[in-house]
Amino acid sequence: MRFNALFSKRGLAVLALAAAVPLVLPNTMNGVDIMGEAQAAGTETAIFAGGCFWCIESDFDHVPGVVETISGYSGGQTTENVTYKNHVAARHREVLKIKYDPSKISYDKLLDIFWRSVDPTDGGGQFCDRGHSYSTAVYALNDEQAKLAKASKAKLETSKALSAPIRTEIAQAGPFFAAEDYHQDYYQKNPVRYKYYRYSCGRDARVKQVWGNQAYSGINK
């Protein structure tokens, strides 16, 4: 980390863990709970990896049409018992599962917000958080999402809006593992620590540098 270890992502997570008993929510795949619980009627699901899931959760919680967000892990080599302690070794990314109302916001619009809330030109992580687990990705839950994500990425590349190639992976979604309870809504549970972390990590400053006036305006509300 580039700043005091106490206020790094991992340092803050350790502090939170000491004050809470983690609760692992059910795992899901392709929008359907592995345990058999169907997705809520009238909603659809998107899964994005955008660096620290505390931050991307905060961003998307303020998007009209988003019904629910769950921080978690996905994209790695294991299919069970994935936790904050072992997800890095298993090559999972920190991700956000977004349930949204398609009558109020489209998947295309969610993609647009996602691009403009991260640095898609950084293939080595996001901001001060380095490594594969913090790198960006779009995990498509079906063929239509894959088609839309690839088209959105291609449009962005053609537009030359960014000064460097896009390094964000677009891949088929695999199993989703909900993060421990102390990670969920971290920005609400620990607002002072969260704001210090986000500022120290340079997330908003870098997004503004990359996107200028096209940066997602809902960041850090």
Side-chain angles (χ1 to χ4, degrees), residues 105-124:
I105 189 167
S106 67
Y107 185 72
D108 241 351
K109 181 60 178 177
L110 290 174
L111 285 168
D112 182 56
I113 292 171
F114 167 73
W115 293 124
R116 294 183 293 112
S117 65
V118 298
D119 177 2
T121 69
D122 187 350

Side-chain angles (χ1 to χ4, degrees), residues 5-217:
L6 178 61
F7 290 100
S8 69
K9 175 69 179 297
R10 189 165 295 277
L12 290 174
V14 170
L15 290 174
L17 177 58
V21 177
L23 170 65
V24 180
L25 302 176
N27 303 329
T28 63
M29 182 175 183
N30 290 348
V32 178
D33 192 293
I34 288 176
M35 302 300 289
E37 181 182 343
Q39 181 163 301
T43 65
E44 295 183 9
T45 299
I47 299 178
F48 300 144
C52 168
F53 48 32
W54 297 345
C55 296
I56 191 172
E57 181 181 54
S58 171
D59 293 344
F60 277 92
D61 271 353
H62 295 95
V63 173
V66 169
V67 176
E68 180 185 27
T69 58
I70 303 175
S71 293
Y73 318 104
S74 194
Q77 300 167 345
T78 55
T79 58
E80 59 183 15
N81 300 324
V82 177
T83 69
Y84 187 72
K85 291 183 177 180
N86 66 25
H87 80 281
V88 174
R91 300 288 290 174
H92 286 282
R93 289 183 170 103
E94 290 196 8
V95 302
L96 186 71
K97 183 173 76 169
I98 303 165
K99 291 186 179 181
Y100 66 97
D101 182 345
S103 70
K104 296 180 179 178
I105 189 167
S106 67
Y107 185 72
D108 241 351
K109 181 60 178 177
L110 290 174
L111 285 168
D112 182 56
I113 292 171
F114 167 73
W115 293 124
R116 294 183 293 112
S117 65
V118 298
D119 177 2
T121 69
D122 187 350
Q126 286 290 283
F127 319 108
C128 70
D129 293 317
R130 312 312 301 161
H132 175 79
S133 65
Y134 292 111
S135 59
T136 59
V138 175
Y139 288 114
L141 289 117
N142 52 53
D143 291 341
E144 179 64 15
Q145 284 192 356
K147 178 181 177 181
L148 290 171
K150 290 175 182 177
S152 179
K153 180 178 178 179
K155 181 180 178 180
L156 185 56
E157 290 173 328
T158 301
S159 73
K160 304 296 182 183
L162 301 172
S163 59
I166 296 174
R167 303 290 298 278
T168 301
E169 180 184 13
I170 296 174
Q172 185 66 33
F176 169 87
F177 302 87
E180 296 81 351
D181 186 59
Y182 66 90
H183 284 302
Q184 308 299 334
D185 301 314
Y186 187 90
Y187 73 100
Q188 294 178 331
K189 296 173 181 175
N190 303 279
V192 175
R193 290 174 180 171
Y194 168 74
K195 288 179 180 179
Y196 183 84
Y197 159 74
R198 183 164 183 146
Y199 173 80
S200 299
C201 201
R203 187 179 184 106
D204 296 335
R206 177 57 181 164
V207 169
K208 182 67 175 177
Q209 183 181 34
V210 170
W211 288 101
N213 60 11
Q214 295 185 61
Y216 169 50
S217 61

